[in-house]
Amino acid sequence: MPEILLQARDLSRSYGEFQALKPVDVALRAGELVVLIGSNGSGKTTLLSCLSGVLPPTTGEVSLEGFDLYRDEREVRRRLAFVPDVPVFYQELTAWEHVYAIALAHRASEGFEERAKQLLGEFGLWEARHLFPHSYSRGMRLKLALVLVLIRPFSVLLLDEPSSALDIESTAILGEKLLALATAQTAILLTTHDPNFANQLDAKTWSIHDGSLSIV
Amino acid sequence: MEASQSSDLRAVWIVQSRKIFSRLEFWLILIGYDRRRQSFDSWIYLVYVFIFFSIWIFVVLTFLAGVTGQMLSALPFGSPFNSAIVVGGAAFTAIYLIELYSASRRSPFLFSEADSTLLCMTPVDRRFVALSWFLNDWVVRGLLYGAGAIVIGYAYLEAQFPGELGAADLPAYIIAGMRMWSVFLPLHLAAQSSAWAIGAWRLHGRRDRPVLIWIAPLLAILLVAAWILSSPSGEDIFPTWVWSIALPLRSGLGAAPLAAGVGLGLLCAVAGIALLWIASGEMSLARAAQETRGHEVLQTALLTVNNDLVRELRLHRRLGAERRPIRLPARQGPAALIWKNAVRGMRSFTLDQALPWLVILGLSLAIFLAPDLGTMAWLVLVWIFFVGGRAVQSLRRDLKIWWLMRQFPYSSEQLVLLNLGLPLLGIALTSLVVLIFAVWIGVSVPPMIAWMFFPGAVGVAFAAAVDILRQARTSLLLSGSVPDRSLLSVLLGALVLGISGFVAWLMLTALSTPLWLGILVMLAVCAGFDYGLYRWAGYLLRNVR
């Protein structure tokens, strides 16, 4: 059985009295591709945000390849990539400069130009690479966020509704990329409301309802 | 009135009344008006508020009038009366030309996002929209304008009787102010409505009318040319036509019948509003909304003192949509974050951002020149405030992009340090420049303060970072809202400097140690604080709630 890359125990998140995520145990193995489904407000984004460290959980612990999400920050951040549903960017950097800065920060500058050109080209952003993200459409911003994670190495990928604003062509390309990453032993957890996209991935499905997670 | 017109008017009133009430919210609370019960909490309190503000406004206006009155007497136009005509006329004309130019460039009707999706898409009568938007805007401008007119009226009175007016002359003040106010208000209504009429006409259909932009500059050129070309008659220093068009002003100053000035003003106001009514009939609300959506957001941000949003919107405007990559050498690893911050700093740098650096420079020098310890302590507190603000600017901007910040493969302490690095370098350079300059101009530089500058600034910077991070909440960071510094940052910074300095002073005075040892211990204490604050900031960043 492939090794567990991402593990969470007793993970929960409350906002005052309201429990957005009831205590859950999560294990994501290498090469596993999981689609998390659930209605609006069911706790999908909360779960992903807690797993990625963007939102601190009320209870529980998350570890990545044995490294604690909060204690071993550097090790975790090298391995974990996350794309939120509404990504925001630096006001003063162009799309190209964003990609460059992320690649440099993750020491992934080898063959950067070719890889960046390929990724930006695949997602239809090459011509718009010198534009500021604030002049991008919502779909273009989402594509840029995807490029920012795909330009760097990682072993666990968390995506919050990545197909929500993408065109058909880009959704298909994203699907292919995710399948290729899973084949290369990357663990992927994503949320979606798009049944066609979920079918394309032919992935394991988890369902969340009122903050309670169940594996379908 | 037809039924459709009546429903149009009601629709516009529903939208506009909410805006008016939200604008007046603060003042309604101040006067104790309960919107739910639609009554005042206490009539006695209302009378008190009325008296308080009447006195306060009167005092402010008379103070301004005192300064303006001296200016009227000093101006070389022969008499305070002539000076008042020139100042009042020039101010009125300049404001009108600016309003006209602005309206001919961009829609004067500001529509919010909600207006553009709700109101602008309906077939509501454009004339009602234009008139209600105009009146809502004019009320505020009219108040300021009226205050300006009253100041000129008071100033003329004070210039006529310099130093002779007292409390007994209150009726004279009131009459002088009311005369100017009653003449200028309809005149301003006329001017603004005619300018907005041009703006409404520009928005007819889909075609732009760039020629309208030239109306205001041409009018200005015509006025200046007429002034230069027409020669004054007799002893008069003004051309004859100036006296004719300055009739309302003369009437406001008591040199012509009040009825003539007010009558002329009202006539012009009716004409201006009629012009606006006619011009706005075919106005495209969709175009107006397109042009002003961003501007409305900026205006609201300015009104609510949302400085971060104001800065962001102005930055978007300044940067435009596209830029070629900056040629700045970059390296892998943590240096990438310094590169990123340097590019961001270069792109967002404006002259107003240089001002705090100049203030830090000036304050640093002033600390050496302080005549006593008390003054020096105050200067140090202000210095802490400015240094803290500069130091955490980059950290605050990075916290806005929380999802990306959490993915850089560095510890929280490193992230704090990398964000504070460039500003601290700037502060170090500033300190060095000040020290060199102080020595060069012969100011005696106490060695303890000189040695304390940089390590002290580091402590102040980390104290400001601690203050920001302790207030930060992930739910707010994810929506781009980053807290600003509180008083705690200044207190923490002052503690670092105060305790370090106190320890050194104690060693030098009580223990009579050599100066170098006192400085060494002071630096060690300060470095200890710096390190503690650095670790604290890292801990807070790692565990943002």
Side-chain angles (χ1 to χ4, degrees):
Chain A
M1 180 153 303
E3 69 166 314
I4 293 174
L5 294 185
L6 179 75
Q7 188 152 39
R9 288 195 190 92
D10 191 33
L11 196 70
S12 76
R13 170 77 199 193
S14 301
Y15 296 97
E17 294 291 303
F18 175 67
Q19 200 165 28
L21 183 66
K22 289 168 185 153
V24 290
D25 290 340
V26 172
L28 208 59
R29 294 177 183 279
E32 204 169 18
L33 177 53
V34 177
V35 173
L36 178 64
I37 56 168
S39 54
N40 296 127
S42 57
K44 299 187 300 293
T45 299
T46 306
L47 175 61
L48 251 64
S49 300
C50 287
L51 288 173
S52 65
V54 164
L55 193 69
T58 308
T59 65
E61 286 182 347
V62 180
S63 65
L64 212 119
E65 295 184 43
F67 294 108
D68 183 86
L69 189 63
Y70 287 93
R71 276 196 302 274
D72 310 307
E73 292 174 289
R74 268 182 290 189
E75 297 304 327
V76 167
R77 288 174 188 171
R78 274 186 201 131
R79 292 164 170 80
L80 178 70
F82 169 62
V83 176
D85 56 342
V86 187
V88 284
F89 301 94
Y90 300 113
Q91 310 286 334
E92 305 88 350
L93 300 190
T94 62
W96 177 261
E97 287 160 350
H98 271 88
V99 184
Y100 190 45
I102 295 291
L104 285 177
H106 282 271
R107 299 181 188 278
S109 59
E110 201 179 309
F112 166 76
E113 298 262 343
E114 292 76 30
R115 287 188 300 118
K117 188 173 180 179
Q118 191 196 340
L119 276 172
L120 288 166
E122 281 174 342
F123 282 104
L125 293 178
W126 177 249
E127 294 298 322
R129 67 191 183 283
H130 293 312
L131 293 182
F132 290 106
H134 62 74
S135 59
Y136 274 13
S137 69
R138 190 174 161 234
M140 289 168 87
R141 285 183 204 181
L142 197 55
K143 288 176 187 178
L144 177 61
L146 290 167
V147 172
L148 291 187
V149 296
L150 294 173
I151 197 76
R152 48 160 284 209
F154 54 85
S155 59
V156 174
L157 177 59
L158 306 172
L159 304 161
D160 194 4
E161 298 190 26
S163 61
S164 61
L166 294 188
D167 50 62
I168 297 168
E169 197 181 333
S170 300
T171 307
I173 290 168
L174 175 65
E176 285 167 22
K177 291 250 172 243
L178 294 179
L179 288 170
L181 283 166
T183 309
Q185 296 303 296
T186 302
I188 304 165
L189 173 62
L190 64 97
T191 67
T192 187
H193 289 292
D194 181 357
N196 292 332
F197 183 54
N199 287 341
Q200 184 196 349
L201 297 174
D202 191 23
K204 190 186 277 184
T205 308
W206 293 353
S207 161
I208 191 163
H209 180 69
D210 281 345
S212 299
L213 183 72
S214 58
I215 294 168
V216 181
Chain B
M1 191 182 282
E2 288 175 34
S4 67
Q5 280 192 332
S6 158
S7 71
D8 279 2
L9 194 59
R10 208 164 39 236
V12 173
W13 169 244
I14 287 170
V15 176
Q16 200 59 279
S17 60
R18 300 295 182 278
K19 283 177 187 286
I20 294 168
F21 273 118
S22 93
R23 237 179 183 185
L24 293 176
E25 196 84 57
F26 172 76
W27 297 105
L28 289 176
I29 291 169
L30 197 79
I31 59 172
Y33 181 74
D34 189 331
R35 273 181 70 185
R36 282 185 200 159
R37 286 190 292 149
Q38 297 193 335
S39 66
F40 290 97
D41 289 337
S42 161
W43 287 100
I44 295 170
Y45 174 71
L46 184 67
V47 172
Y48 162 75
V49 169
F50 177 76
I51 293 170
F52 172 79
F53 275 102
S54 300
I55 294 172
W56 186 76
I57 290 169
F58 181 74
V59 169
V60 171
L61 293 182
T62 44
F63 170 74
L64 291 173
V67 179
T68 315
Q70 286 173 7
M71 191 180 80
L72 293 184
S73 304
L75 284 173
F77 295 109
S79 69
F81 179 76
N82 286 352
S83 299
I85 295 280
V86 171
V87 170
F92 179 82
T93 312
I95 292 169
Y96 174 62
L97 289 175
I98 290 168
E99 275 183 358
L100 185 61
Y101 182 69
S102 168
S104 63
R105 276 188 69 215
R106 191 193 52 226
S107 162
F109 307 91
L110 297 185
F111 292 108
S112 66
E113 192 83 29
D115 293 331
S116 66
T117 48
L118 292 172
L119 192 73
C120 298
M121 296 301 165
T122 62
V124 67
D125 193 327
R126 272 54 187 145
R127 293 172 302 185
F128 288 132
V129 177
L131 209 59
S132 68
W133 249 251
F134 165 74
L135 288 174
N136 191 11
D137 187 88
W138 176 77
V139 167
V140 179
R141 288 177 198 241
L143 276 176
L144 293 172
Y145 210 85
I150 292 172
V151 167
I152 292 176
Y154 286 177
Y156 175 56
L157 192 70
E158 294 210 358
Q160 276 179 301
F161 310 100
E164 294 172 23
L165 297 171
D169 299 299
L170 189 64
Y173 268 104
I174 292 172
I175 291 168
M178 291 312 287
R179 275 189 84 101
M180 283 299 278
W181 186 79
S182 57
V183 167
F184 261 76
L185 218 59
L187 268 186
H188 179 241
L189 184 63
Q192 195 180 327
S193 55
S194 67
W196 280 48
I198 298 287
W201 189 43
R202 195 183 68 83
L203 293 166
H204 273 212
R206 293 172 67 181
R207 197 164 59 87
D208 206 8
R209 294 175 173 80
V211 73
L212 295 178
I213 291 177
W214 293 101
I215 293 180
L218 277 174
L219 213 57
I221 293 168
L222 265 173
L223 280 170
V224 174
W227 181 284
I228 293 168
L229 293 176
S230 55
S231 53
S233 57
E235 291 180 353
D236 216 338
I237 65 159
F238 300 134
T240 328
W241 60 270
V242 171
W243 286 120
S244 315
I245 65 164
L247 171 71
L249 249 172
R250 286 192 286 139
S251 149
L253 293 171
L258 181 65
V262 175
L264 187 66
L266 285 174
L267 209 66
C268 292
V270 170
I273 289 173
L275 208 62
L276 177 62
W277 180 261
I278 295 162
S280 57
E282 298 297 320
M283 183 174 80
S284 162
L285 294 186
R287 265 186 68 194
Q290 279 168 15
E291 287 180 10
T292 60
R293 209 173 301 163
H295 195 70
E296 201 272 344
V297 176
L298 181 64
Q299 293 285 81
T300 311
L302 281 166
L303 209 68
T304 52
V305 204
N306 188 344
N307 293 330
D308 282 353
L309 184 59
V310 170
R311 182 193 157 273
E312 202 172 285
L313 293 169
R314 284 186 172 152
L315 187 71
H316 284 184
R317 273 190 194 175
R318 205 164 54 81
L319 289 175
E322 189 177 16
R323 284 286 165 100
R324 293 277 132 192
I326 279 184
R327 291 180 188 279
L328 199 68
R331 298 190 65 182
Q332 289 201 103
L337 265 70
I338 295 175
W339 176 84
K340 168 185 75 71
N341 289 343
V343 173
R344 296 184 76 190
M346 285 162 75
R347 288 254 169 81
S348 60
F349 188 80
T350 49
L351 274 179
D352 62 322
Q353 290 206 341
L355 198 66
W357 286 107
L358 291 175
V359 173
I360 291 172
L361 204 81
L363 281 167
S364 307
L365 192 63
I367 288 170
F368 290 130
L369 298 169
D372 53 68
L373 209 61
T375 313
M376 186 187 280
W378 278 113
L379 287 168
V380 168
L381 284 178
V382 182
W383 180 82
I384 289 172
F385 176 78
F386 276 93
V387 167
R390 280 298 88 184
V392 292
Q393 201 182 29
S394 166
L395 178 68
R396 286 191 73 239
R397 284 192 305 198
D398 254 28
L399 283 169
K400 274 180 185 277
I401 322 292
W402 183 237
W403 74 279
L404 262 181
M405 194 181 190
R406 292 299 276 183
Q407 297 191 56
F408 284 118
Y410 310 111
S411 68
S412 293
E413 283 83 0
Q414 277 178 306
L415 286 175
V416 170
L417 199 61
L418 287 165
N419 270 301
L420 262 53
L422 277 182
L424 280 174
L425 187 70
I427 292 163
L429 284 174
T430 312
S431 311
L432 199 67
V433 167
V434 167
L435 283 174
I436 293 169
F437 184 70
V439 171
W440 184 57
I441 60 170
V443 174
S444 82
V445 177
M448 267 175 58
I449 297 177
W451 279 102
M452 192 62 187
F453 250 112
F454 186 63
V458 173
V460 167
F462 285 131
V466 162
D467 188 29
I468 299 272
L469 292 167
R470 81 177 173 88
Q471 301 176 75
R473 297 287 177 272
T474 43
S475 50
L476 293 174
L477 296 180
L478 284 169
S479 61
S481 174
V482 181
D484 212 337
R485 286 168 307 139
S486 68
L487 190 65
L488 185 84
S489 70
V490 179
L491 289 176
L492 271 178
L495 267 179
V496 172
L497 298 180
I499 294 175
S500 308
F502 179 71
V503 169
W505 174 80
L506 212 63
M507 286 190 69
L508 293 176
T509 54
L511 303 174
S512 304
T513 56
L515 181 66
W516 66 267
L517 190 60
I519 290 173
L520 207 65
V521 171
M522 179 186 72
L523 291 179
V525 172
C526 190
F529 274 120
D530 291 356
Y531 183 72
L533 287 167
Y534 156 71
R535 292 303 300 261
W536 190 9
Y539 171 81
L540 288 170
L541 178 59
R542 191 164 34 253
N543 298 290
V544 172
R545 279 177 282 163

